[in-house]
Structures are given as C-alpha cells and as structure tokens.
Coordinates of all heavy atoms in Angstrom, one line a residue:
M1 N -39.5 -10.4 0.9 CA -38.4 -10.3 1.9 C -38.9 -10.4 3.3 O -39.6 -9.5 3.7 CB -37.6 -9.0 1.7 CG -36.8 -9.0 0.4 SD -35.4 -10.1 0.3 CE -34.8 -9.7 -1.4
S2 N -38.6 -11.4 4.0 CA -39.0 -11.5 5.4 C -38.0 -10.9 6.4 O -38.4 -10.5 7.5 CB -39.3 -12.9 5.8 OG -38.1 -13.7 5.6
R3 N -36.8 -10.8 5.9 CA -35.8 -10.3 6.8 C -35.2 -8.9 6.3 O -34.5 -8.9 5.4 CB -34.6 -11.3 6.9 CG -33.6 -11.0 8.0 CD -32.6 -12.1 8.1 NE -31.8 -12.1 6.9 CZ -30.7 -11.4 6.7 NH1 -30.3 -10.5 7.6 NH2 -30.0 -11.5 5.5
P4 N -35.7 -7.9 6.9 CA -35.2 -6.6 6.4 C -33.7 -6.4 6.8 O -33.2 -6.8 7.8 CB -36.0 -5.6 7.2 CG -36.5 -6.3 8.4 CD -36.6 -7.8 8.0
E5 N -33.0 -5.7 5.9 CA -31.6 -5.4 6.1 C -31.5 -4.4 7.2 O -32.2 -3.4 7.1 CB -30.9 -4.9 4.8 CG -30.9 -5.9 3.7 CD -29.9 -7.1 3.9 OE1 -29.0 -6.8 4.7 OE2 -30.1 -8.1 3.4
P6 N -30.5 -4.5 8.1 CA -30.3 -3.5 9.1 C -29.8 -2.2 8.4 O -29.0 -2.3 7.4 CB -29.3 -4.1 10.0 CG -28.6 -5.2 9.2 CD -29.7 -5.7 8.3
V7 N -30.2 -1.1 8.8 CA -29.8 0.1 8.1 C -28.4 0.5 8.5 O -27.6 0.9 7.6 CB -30.8 1.3 8.6 CG1 -30.3 2.6 7.9 CG2 -32.2 1.0 8.2
N8 N -28.1 0.3 9.7 CA -26.7 0.7 10.1 C -25.8 -0.5 10.1 O -25.2 -0.9 11.1 CB -26.7 1.3 11.5 CG -27.3 2.7 11.5 OD1 -27.0 3.5 10.6 ND2 -28.0 3.0 12.5
D9 N -25.7 -1.1 8.9 CA -24.8 -2.2 8.8 C -23.4 -1.7 8.7 O -23.0 -1.0 7.8 CB -25.2 -3.0 7.5 CG -24.5 -4.3 7.4 OD1 -23.5 -4.5 8.1 OD2 -24.9 -5.2 6.6
P10 N -22.6 -2.1 9.7 CA -21.2 -1.6 9.7 C -20.3 -2.3 8.6 O -19.2 -1.8 8.3 CB -20.7 -2.0 11.1 CG -21.5 -3.2 11.4 CD -22.8 -3.0 10.8
N11 N -20.8 -3.3 8.0 CA -20.0 -4.0 7.1 C -20.4 -3.7 5.7 O -21.5 -4.0 5.2 CB -20.1 -5.6 7.2 CG -19.7 -6.0 8.6 OD1 -18.6 -5.7 9.1 ND2 -20.5 -6.7 9.3
P12 N -19.5 -3.0 4.9 CA -19.9 -2.7 3.5 C -20.0 -4.0 2.7 O -19.3 -5.0 2.9 CB -18.7 -1.9 3.0 CG -17.6 -2.2 4.0 CD -18.2 -2.6 5.3
R13 N -21.0 -4.0 1.9 CA -21.2 -5.2 1.0 C -20.9 -4.9 -0.4 O -20.8 -3.7 -0.8 CB -22.7 -5.5 1.2 CG -23.0 -6.1 2.5 CD -24.5 -6.1 2.8 NE -24.8 -6.4 4.2 CZ -24.8 -7.6 4.7 NH1 -24.7 -8.7 3.9 NH2 -25.0 -7.8 6.0
L14 N -20.7 -6.0 -1.1 CA -20.3 -5.9 -2.5 C -21.3 -5.0 -3.3 O -20.8 -4.2 -4.1 CB -20.2 -7.3 -3.1 CG -19.6 -7.4 -4.4 CD1 -18.2 -6.8 -4.5 CD2 -19.5 -8.9 -4.8
R15 N -22.5 -5.1 -3.0 CA -23.5 -4.3 -3.8 C -23.5 -2.9 -3.5 O -24.1 -2.1 -4.2 CB -24.9 -4.9 -3.6 CG -25.4 -4.8 -2.2 CD -26.9 -5.0 -2.2 NE -27.3 -5.0 -0.8 CZ -27.8 -6.1 -0.1 NH1 -27.9 -7.2 -0.8 NH2 -28.1 -6.0 1.1
D16 N -22.8 -2.5 -2.4 CA -22.7 -1.1 -2.0 C -21.6 -0.4 -2.8 O -21.5 0.8 -2.8 CB -22.4 -0.9 -0.5 CG -23.5 -1.5 0.3 OD1 -24.7 -1.4 -0.1 OD2 -23.3 -2.0 1.4
H17 N -20.8 -1.2 -3.4 CA -19.6 -0.6 -4.1 C -20.0 -0.1 -5.5 O -20.7 -0.8 -6.2 CB -18.5 -1.7 -4.2 CG -17.2 -1.1 -4.7 ND1 -16.5 -0.2 -4.0 CD2 -16.5 -1.4 -5.8 CE1 -15.4 0.1 -4.7 NE2 -15.4 -0.6 -5.8
R18 N -19.7 1.1 -5.8 CA -20.2 1.7 -7.0 C -19.3 1.5 -8.2 O -19.7 1.5 -9.3 CB -20.3 3.3 -6.8 CG -21.2 3.6 -5.7 CD -22.7 3.3 -6.0 NE -23.5 3.6 -4.9 CZ -24.7 3.0 -4.8 NH1 -25.2 2.2 -5.7 NH2 -25.5 3.3 -3.8
E19 N -18.0 1.4 -7.9 CA -17.0 1.2 -9.1 C -17.1 -0.2 -9.6 O -17.3 -1.1 -8.9 CB -15.6 1.5 -8.6 CG -15.4 2.8 -7.8 CD -15.8 4.0 -8.7 OE1 -15.4 4.0 -9.9 OE2 -16.4 5.0 -8.2
P20 N -16.8 -0.3 -11.0 CA -16.9 -1.6 -11.6 C -15.7 -2.5 -11.2 O -15.7 -3.7 -11.3 CB -16.9 -1.3 -13.1 CG -16.3 0.0 -13.2 CD -16.7 0.8 -11.9
I21 N -14.6 -1.8 -10.8 CA -13.4 -2.5 -10.4 C -13.1 -2.2 -9.0 O -13.2 -1.1 -8.5 CB -12.2 -2.1 -11.3 CG1 -12.5 -2.4 -12.8 CG2 -10.9 -2.8 -10.8 CD1 -12.5 -3.8 -13.1
I22 N -12.6 -3.2 -8.3 CA -12.2 -3.0 -6.9 C -10.8 -3.5 -6.7 O -10.5 -4.6 -7.2 CB -13.2 -3.6 -5.9 CG1 -12.8 -3.2 -4.5 CG2 -13.3 -5.1 -6.0 CD1 -13.9 -3.4 -3.4
E23 N -10.0 -2.7 -6.1 CA -8.6 -3.1 -5.9 C -8.4 -3.8 -4.6 O -9.1 -3.6 -3.6 CB -7.7 -1.9 -5.9 CG -7.4 -1.4 -7.3 CD -6.3 -0.3 -7.2 OE1 -6.6 0.8 -6.7 OE2 -5.2 -0.6 -7.6
F24 N -7.5 -4.7 -4.6 CA -7.2 -5.5 -3.4 C -5.7 -5.5 -3.2 O -4.9 -5.9 -4.1 CB -7.7 -6.9 -3.6 CG -7.5 -7.9 -2.5 CD1 -8.2 -7.7 -1.3 CD2 -6.5 -8.9 -2.6 CE1 -8.0 -8.6 -0.3 CE2 -6.4 -9.8 -1.5 CZ -7.1 -9.6 -0.3
I25 N -5.3 -5.1 -2.0 CA -3.8 -4.9 -1.8 C -3.5 -5.6 -0.5 O -4.2 -5.5 0.5 CB -3.5 -3.4 -1.7 CG1 -3.6 -2.8 -3.1 CG2 -2.1 -3.2 -1.2 CD1 -3.4 -1.3 -3.1
C26 N -2.3 -6.3 -0.5 CA -1.7 -6.8 0.7 C -0.3 -6.3 0.7 O 0.5 -6.9 0.0 CB -1.8 -8.3 0.9 SG -1.1 -8.8 2.4
R27 N 0.0 -5.3 1.4 CA 1.4 -4.7 1.4 C 2.4 -5.7 1.9 O 3.5 -5.9 1.3 CB 1.4 -3.4 2.0 CG 2.6 -2.5 1.6 CD 2.4 -1.1 2.0 NE 1.2 -0.5 1.4 CZ 0.6 0.5 2.0 NH1 0.9 1.0 3.2 NH2 -0.5 1.1 1.4
P28 N 2.2 -6.3 3.1 CA 3.2 -7.2 3.6 C 3.5 -8.3 2.7 O 4.6 -8.8 2.6 CB 2.6 -7.7 4.9 CG 1.6 -6.7 5.3 CD 1.1 -6.1 4.0
C29 N 2.5 -8.7 1.9 CA 2.7 -9.9 1.0 C 3.1 -9.4 -0.4 O 3.2 -10.2 -1.3 CB 1.4 -10.7 0.9 SG 0.9 -11.3 2.5
D30 N 3.2 -8.1 -0.6 CA 3.4 -7.5 -1.9 C 2.4 -8.0 -2.9 O 2.7 -8.5 -4.0 CB 4.9 -7.9 -2.3 CG 5.3 -7.0 -3.5 OD1 4.7 -5.9 -3.7 OD2 6.2 -7.4 -4.2
R31 N 1.2 -7.9 -2.6 CA 0.1 -8.4 -3.4 C -0.7 -7.2 -3.8 O -1.1 -6.4 -3.0 CB -0.7 -9.4 -2.7 CG -1.7 -10.2 -3.5 CD -2.7 -10.9 -2.6 NE -2.1 -12.0 -1.8 CZ -2.6 -13.2 -1.7 NH1 -3.7 -13.5 -2.3 NH2 -2.0 -14.1 -1.0
H32 N -1.0 -7.1 -5.1 CA -1.8 -6.0 -5.6 C -2.6 -6.5 -6.8 O -2.0 -6.8 -7.8 CB -0.9 -4.8 -6.0 CG -1.7 -3.6 -6.4 ND1 -1.1 -2.4 -6.7 CD2 -3.1 -3.4 -6.5 CE1 -2.1 -1.5 -7.0 NE2 -3.3 -2.1 -6.9
S33 N -3.9 -6.6 -6.6 CA -4.7 -7.1 -7.7 C -6.0 -6.3 -7.8 O -6.4 -5.6 -6.8 CB -5.0 -8.6 -7.6 OG -5.1 -9.0 -6.3
S34 N -6.6 -6.4 -8.9 CA -7.9 -5.8 -9.0 C -8.9 -6.8 -9.5 O -8.6 -7.6 -10.3 CB -7.8 -4.5 -9.9 OG -7.2 -4.8 -11.1
F35 N -10.2 -6.6 -9.1 CA -11.2 -7.6 -9.5 C -12.4 -6.8 -10.0 O -12.7 -5.7 -9.6 CB -11.6 -8.4 -8.2 CG -10.6 -9.2 -7.6 CD1 -9.8 -8.7 -6.6 CD2 -10.3 -10.5 -8.1 CE1 -8.7 -9.5 -6.1 CE2 -9.3 -11.3 -7.6 CZ -8.5 -10.8 -6.5
E36 N -13.0 -7.4 -10.9 CA -14.3 -6.9 -11.4 C -15.4 -7.2 -10.4 O -15.6 -8.4 -10.0 CB -14.7 -7.5 -12.8 CG -13.9 -6.8 -13.9 CD -14.5 -7.3 -15.2 OE1 -15.7 -7.0 -15.5 OE2 -13.8 -8.0 -16.0
C37 N -16.1 -6.2 -10.0 CA -17.1 -6.4 -9.0 C -18.2 -7.4 -9.5 O -18.7 -8.2 -8.7 CB -17.8 -5.1 -8.7 SG -16.9 -4.1 -7.5
K38 N -18.5 -7.4 -10.8 CA -19.5 -8.3 -11.2 C -19.1 -9.8 -11.1 O -19.9 -10.7 -10.9 CB -20.0 -8.0 -12.6 CG -19.0 -8.1 -13.7 CD -19.6 -7.7 -15.0 CE -18.6 -7.7 -16.1 NZ -19.1 -7.2 -17.4
L39 N -17.8 -10.0 -11.3 CA -17.2 -11.3 -11.1 C -17.3 -11.7 -9.7 O -17.6 -12.9 -9.3 CB -15.8 -11.4 -11.7 CG -15.7 -11.2 -13.2 CD1 -14.3 -11.4 -13.6 CD2 -16.6 -12.2 -13.9
L40 N -16.9 -10.8 -8.8 CA -17.0 -11.1 -7.4 C -18.4 -11.4 -7.0 O -18.7 -12.3 -6.2 CB -16.4 -9.9 -6.6 CG -14.9 -9.7 -6.7 CD1 -14.5 -8.4 -5.9 CD2 -14.1 -10.9 -6.3
A41 N -19.3 -10.6 -7.5 CA -20.7 -10.8 -7.2 C -21.2 -12.2 -7.7 O -22.0 -12.8 -7.0 CB -21.6 -9.7 -7.8
K42 N -20.7 -12.6 -8.8 CA -21.0 -13.9 -9.3 C -20.5 -15.0 -8.4 O -21.1 -16.0 -8.2 CB -20.5 -14.0 -10.8 CG -21.2 -15.1 -11.5 CD -20.7 -15.1 -13.0 CE -21.5 -14.1 -13.9 NZ -21.1 -14.2 -15.3
A43 N -19.3 -14.8 -8.0 CA -18.6 -15.8 -7.2 C -19.1 -15.9 -5.7 O -19.3 -16.9 -5.2 CB -17.1 -15.5 -7.1
F44 N -19.4 -14.7 -5.2 CA -19.7 -14.6 -3.7 C -21.1 -14.2 -3.4 O -21.6 -14.4 -2.3 CB -18.8 -13.7 -3.0 CG -17.3 -14.0 -3.1 CD1 -16.4 -13.2 -3.8 CD2 -16.8 -15.1 -2.5 CE1 -15.1 -13.6 -3.9 CE2 -15.5 -15.5 -2.6 CZ -14.6 -14.7 -3.3
G45 N -21.7 -13.6 -4.4 CA -23.1 -13.0 -4.1 C -23.0 -11.5 -3.8 O -22.0 -11.1 -3.1
A46 N -23.9 -10.8 -4.3 CA -23.8 -9.3 -4.1 C -24.0 -8.8 -2.7 O -23.6 -7.7 -2.4 CB -24.8 -8.6 -5.1
S47 N -24.6 -9.7 -1.9 CA -24.8 -9.2 -0.5 C -23.6 -9.7 0.4 O -23.7 -9.5 1.6 CB -26.1 -9.8 0.0 OG -26.1 -11.2 0.0
M48 N -22.6 -10.3 -0.2 CA -21.5 -10.7 0.6 C -20.7 -9.5 1.2 O -20.6 -8.5 0.5 CB -20.5 -11.5 -0.2 CG -19.4 -12.1 0.5 SD -19.9 -13.3 1.8 CE -20.0 -14.8 0.8
T49 N -20.3 -9.5 2.4 CA -19.5 -8.4 2.9 C -18.1 -8.4 2.4 O -17.5 -9.5 2.2 CB -19.5 -8.4 4.5 OG1 -18.9 -9.6 4.9 CG2 -21.0 -8.4 5.0
F50 N -17.5 -7.3 2.4 CA -16.1 -7.2 2.0 C -15.2 -7.9 3.0 O -14.1 -8.3 2.6 CB -15.7 -5.7 1.8 CG -16.2 -5.2 0.5 CD1 -17.2 -4.3 0.4 CD2 -15.6 -5.6 -0.7 CE1 -17.7 -3.8 -0.8 CE2 -16.1 -5.1 -1.9 CZ -17.1 -4.2 -1.9
A51 N -15.6 -7.9 4.2 CA -14.8 -8.6 5.2 C -14.6 -10.1 4.9 O -13.5 -10.6 5.0 CB -15.5 -8.4 6.6
V52 N -15.7 -10.7 4.4 CA -15.6 -12.1 4.1 C -14.9 -12.2 2.8 O -14.0 -13.1 2.6 CB -17.0 -12.7 3.9 CG1 -17.0 -14.1 3.4 CG2 -17.7 -12.6 5.3
I53 N -15.1 -11.4 1.8 CA -14.4 -11.5 0.5 C -12.9 -11.3 0.7 O -12.1 -12.0 0.1 CB -15.0 -10.4 -0.4 CG1 -16.4 -10.7 -0.7 CG2 -14.2 -10.4 -1.7 CD1 -17.1 -9.6 -1.6
R54 N -12.6 -10.4 1.6 CA -11.2 -10.2 1.9 C -10.5 -11.5 2.4 O -9.4 -11.8 2.0 CB -11.0 -9.1 3.0 CG -9.7 -9.0 3.6 CD -9.6 -8.0 4.7 NE -8.3 -8.0 5.4 CZ -8.0 -8.8 6.4 NH1 -8.9 -9.7 6.9 NH2 -6.8 -8.8 6.9
Q55 N -11.2 -12.2 3.3 CA -10.7 -13.4 3.8 C -10.5 -14.4 2.7 O -9.5 -15.2 2.7 CB -11.6 -14.0 4.9 CG -11.5 -13.2 6.2 CD -12.3 -13.9 7.3 OE1 -13.2 -14.6 7.1 NE2 -11.9 -13.6 8.6
R56 N -11.5 -14.5 1.9 CA -11.4 -15.5 0.8 C -10.3 -15.1 -0.2 O -9.5 -16.0 -0.6 CB -12.7 -15.5 0.0 CG -13.9 -15.9 0.8 CD -13.9 -17.4 1.2 NE -15.0 -17.7 2.1 CZ -16.2 -17.9 1.7 NH1 -16.5 -17.9 0.4 NH2 -17.1 -18.2 2.6
L57 N -10.2 -13.9 -0.5 CA -9.1 -13.5 -1.5 C -7.7 -13.6 -0.9 O -6.8 -13.9 -1.6 CB -9.4 -12.0 -1.9 CG -10.6 -11.8 -2.7 CD1 -10.7 -10.3 -3.1 CD2 -10.6 -12.7 -4.0
A58 N -7.7 -13.4 0.4 CA -6.4 -13.5 1.1 C -6.0 -14.9 1.5 O -5.0 -15.1 2.1 CB -6.3 -12.6 2.3
M59 N -6.9 -15.8 1.2 CA -6.6 -17.2 1.5 C -5.3 -17.6 0.9 O -5.0 -17.3 -0.3 CB -7.7 -18.1 1.0 CG -7.9 -19.3 1.8 SD -9.3 -20.3 1.2 CE -10.7 -19.4 2.0
G60 N -4.5 -18.3 1.6 CA -3.1 -18.6 1.2 C -2.1 -17.6 1.7 O -0.9 -17.9 1.6
C61 N -2.6 -16.5 2.2 CA -1.7 -15.6 2.8 C -1.3 -16.2 4.2 O -2.1 -16.4 5.0 CB -2.3 -14.2 3.0 SG -1.3 -13.1 3.9
E62 N 0.0 -16.4 4.3 CA 0.5 -17.1 5.5 C 0.4 -16.1 6.7 O 0.4 -16.6 7.9 CB 1.9 -17.6 5.3 CG 2.9 -16.5 5.0 CD 4.2 -17.1 4.6 OE1 4.2 -18.2 4.1 OE2 5.2 -16.4 4.7
R63 N 0.2 -14.9 6.5 CA 0.1 -13.9 7.6 C -1.4 -13.9 8.1 O -1.7 -13.3 9.2 CB 0.5 -12.5 7.2 CG 2.0 -12.4 6.9 CD 2.3 -11.0 6.4 NE 3.7 -10.9 6.2 CZ 4.4 -11.3 5.1 NH1 3.7 -11.9 4.1 NH2 5.7 -11.1 5.0
M64 N -2.3 -14.5 7.4 CA -3.7 -14.4 7.8 C -4.0 -15.2 9.0 O -4.8 -14.8 9.8 CB -4.5 -15.0 6.6 CG -6.0 -14.7 6.7 SD -6.4 -13.0 6.8 CE -7.3 -12.8 5.3
Q65 N -3.3 -16.3 9.2 CA -3.5 -17.2 10.3 C -2.2 -17.4 11.1 O -1.5 -18.3 10.8 CB -4.1 -18.5 9.9 CG -5.6 -18.3 9.4 CD -6.1 -19.6 8.8 OE1 -5.4 -20.5 8.4 NE2 -7.4 -19.7 8.7
T66 N -2.0 -16.6 12.0 CA -0.8 -16.7 12.9 C -1.2 -17.0 14.3 O -2.4 -16.7 14.6 CB 0.1 -15.5 12.8 OG1 -0.6 -14.4 13.5 CG2 0.3 -15.0 11.4
P67 N -0.3 -17.5 15.1 CA -0.7 -17.7 16.5 C -1.2 -16.3 17.2 O -2.0 -16.3 18.1 CB 0.6 -18.1 17.2 CG 1.3 -18.8 16.1 CD 1.0 -18.0 14.9
G68 N -0.7 -15.2 16.6 CA -1.1 -13.9 17.2 C -2.4 -13.4 16.5 O -2.7 -12.3 16.8
G69 N -3.0 -14.1 15.6 CA -4.2 -13.7 14.9 C -3.9 -13.2 13.5 O -2.9 -13.6 12.9
D70 N -4.8 -12.5 13.0 CA -4.7 -12.0 11.6 C -3.8 -10.9 11.4 O -4.0 -9.7 11.8 CB -6.2 -11.6 11.2 CG -6.2 -11.2 9.7 OD1 -5.2 -11.1 9.1 OD2 -7.3 -10.9 9.3
K71 N -2.6 -11.2 10.8 CA -1.6 -10.1 10.6 C -1.5 -9.7 9.2 O -0.6 -9.0 8.8 CB -0.2 -10.7 11.1 CG -0.2 -11.2 12.5 CD -0.2 -10.0 13.5 CE 0.1 -10.5 14.9 NZ -0.3 -9.6 15.9
C72 N -2.4 -10.2 8.4 CA -2.3 -9.9 7.0 C -2.8 -8.5 6.8 O -3.7 -8.0 7.4 CB -3.2 -10.9 6.2 SG -3.2 -10.6 4.4
G73 N -2.1 -7.8 5.9 CA -2.5 -6.4 5.6 C -3.4 -6.3 4.4 O -3.6 -5.2 3.9
A74 N -4.0 -7.3 4.0 CA -4.9 -7.3 2.9 C -6.1 -6.4 3.1 O -6.7 -6.4 4.2 CB -5.4 -8.7 2.5
H75 N -6.4 -5.5 2.2 CA -7.5 -4.7 2.3 C -7.9 -4.1 0.9 O -7.2 -4.3 -0.1 CB -7.2 -3.5 3.3 CG -6.2 -2.6 2.8 ND1 -4.8 -2.9 2.7 CD2 -6.3 -1.3 2.3 CE1 -4.1 -1.9 2.3 NE2 -5.0 -0.9 2.0
F76 N -9.1 -3.5 0.9 CA -9.6 -2.9 -0.3 C -9.3 -1.4 -0.1 O -10.0 -0.7 0.7 CB -11.0 -3.2 -0.5 CG -11.3 -4.6 -0.6 CD1 -11.8 -5.3 0.5 CD2 -11.1 -5.3 -1.8 CE1 -12.1 -6.7 0.3 CE2 -11.4 -6.6 -1.9 CZ -11.9 -7.3 -0.9
P77 N -8.4 -0.8 -0.8 CA -8.0 0.6 -0.5 C -9.1 1.6 -0.8 O -9.1 2.7 -0.3 CB -6.8 0.9 -1.4 CG -6.9 -0.2 -2.4 CD -7.5 -1.4 -1.8
C78 N -10.1 1.2 -1.6 CA -11.2 2.1 -1.9 C -12.2 2.2 -0.8 O -13.0 3.1 -0.8 CB -11.8 1.8 -3.3 SG -12.4 0.1 -3.3
L79 N -12.1 1.2 0.1 CA -13.0 1.2 1.2 C -12.3 2.1 2.3 O -11.4 2.8 2.0 CB -13.3 -0.2 1.7 CG -14.0 -1.1 0.7 CD1 -14.2 -2.5 1.4 CD2 -15.3 -0.5 0.3
A80 N -12.8 2.0 3.5 CA -12.2 2.7 4.6 C -10.7 2.3 4.7 O -10.3 1.2 4.2 CB -12.9 2.5 5.9
E81 N -10.0 3.0 5.5 CA -8.6 2.7 5.6 C -8.3 1.3 6.0 O -9.1 0.7 6.8 CB -7.9 3.7 6.6 CG -8.5 3.6 8.0 CD -9.8 4.3 8.2 OE1 -10.3 4.9 7.2 OE2 -10.4 4.2 9.3
G82 N -7.2 0.8 5.6 CA -6.9 -0.6 5.8 C -6.3 -0.8 7.2 O -6.2 0.1 8.0
P83 N -6.0 -2.1 7.5 CA -5.4 -2.4 8.8 C -4.1 -1.7 9.1 O -3.8 -1.5 10.3 CB -5.1 -3.9 8.7 CG -5.9 -4.4 7.5 CD -6.1 -3.2 6.6
D84 N -3.4 -1.3 8.1 CA -2.1 -0.7 8.3 C -2.3 0.8 8.5 O -1.3 1.6 8.6 CB -1.1 -1.0 7.3 CG -1.5 -0.6 5.9 OD1 -2.7 -0.1 5.7 OD2 -0.8 -0.8 4.9
G85 N -3.5 1.3 8.4 CA -3.8 2.7 8.7 C -3.5 3.7 7.6 O -3.7 4.9 7.7
S86 N -3.0 3.2 6.5 CA -2.7 4.2 5.4 C -3.8 4.1 4.4 O -3.6 4.4 3.3 CB -1.3 3.9 4.8 OG -1.3 2.6 4.2
Ligands
LIG1 ZN1 -1.3 -10.9 3.3

C-alpha cells in the first residue's frame, strides 16, 4: 500500500459497516429497501463511501437532481442522521 488511508475520514465506507444488511430509505420518494453489504461490496467495492453508494442507489430519483440541488431524502438510517434530520 503506497497510499495510507486518512485516519479522520469523514466519509463512512462500506467496509466500516458492521451489519450484514444496510437499509436505504428515501422518505420523499416513499422508498425503503435493504441491501446486503456483501452484494454492495461486490458491486461497488468495499472502500466505496456511502455517499457515493447513496447517489448510485438513488439514481432515478427525480428529486436528486433539481435546479435547487439535491433534494432527495435518500439516506442510510443506520449511519448518522439523514438529510431530513430524523
Ligand atoms: Zn428520493
């Protein structure tokens, strides 16, 4: 490894997640699904950040790309609080 990982990485990564299942919720879109972490790791790589995975999973959400920016409420409830603060 030539590039050491920064210790204070503000972005949680897939490999940091302990549970085998991760939930994904978008309340404005009435979307609620759960994913197996190992499948996500296979699809995206274990070092992928949840921020990027969120974008990928929320793709097709029409609130994701508005003139006013990202209005999608998609988040992983088991991580820190989502965009809607709950
Ligand atoms: Zn959404």
Side-chain angles (χ1 to χ4, degrees):
M1 293 290 182
S2 57
R3 192 176 62 86
E5 296 287 337
V7 177
N8 287 321
D9 191 342
N11 300 309
R13 288 165 194 275
L14 191 52
R15 63 162 175 252
D16 298 328
H17 190 63
R18 301 291 175 203
E19 308 296 323
I21 301 289
I22 186 161
E23 280 190 288
F24 181 71
I25 291 176
C26 182
R27 201 168 295 152
C29 305
D30 196 22
R31 193 193 293 227
H32 184 178
S33 35
S34 51
F35 297 92
E36 281 190 63
C37 277
K38 62 181 176 185
L39 292 183
L40 291 178
K42 199 175 276 187
F44 298 112
S47 60
M48 185 64 87
T49 62
F50 282 106
V52 174
I53 296 173
R54 169 186 172 271
Q55 284 186 337
R56 298 290 174 80
L57 292 181
M59 208 175 280
C61 175
E62 59 193 24
R63 292 175 177 83
M64 191 63 114
Q65 288 171 342
T66 72
D70 182 353
K71 304 285 189 199
C72 182
H75 65 287
F76 300 101
C78 57
L79 300 181
E81 64 280 0
D84 61 359
S86 66

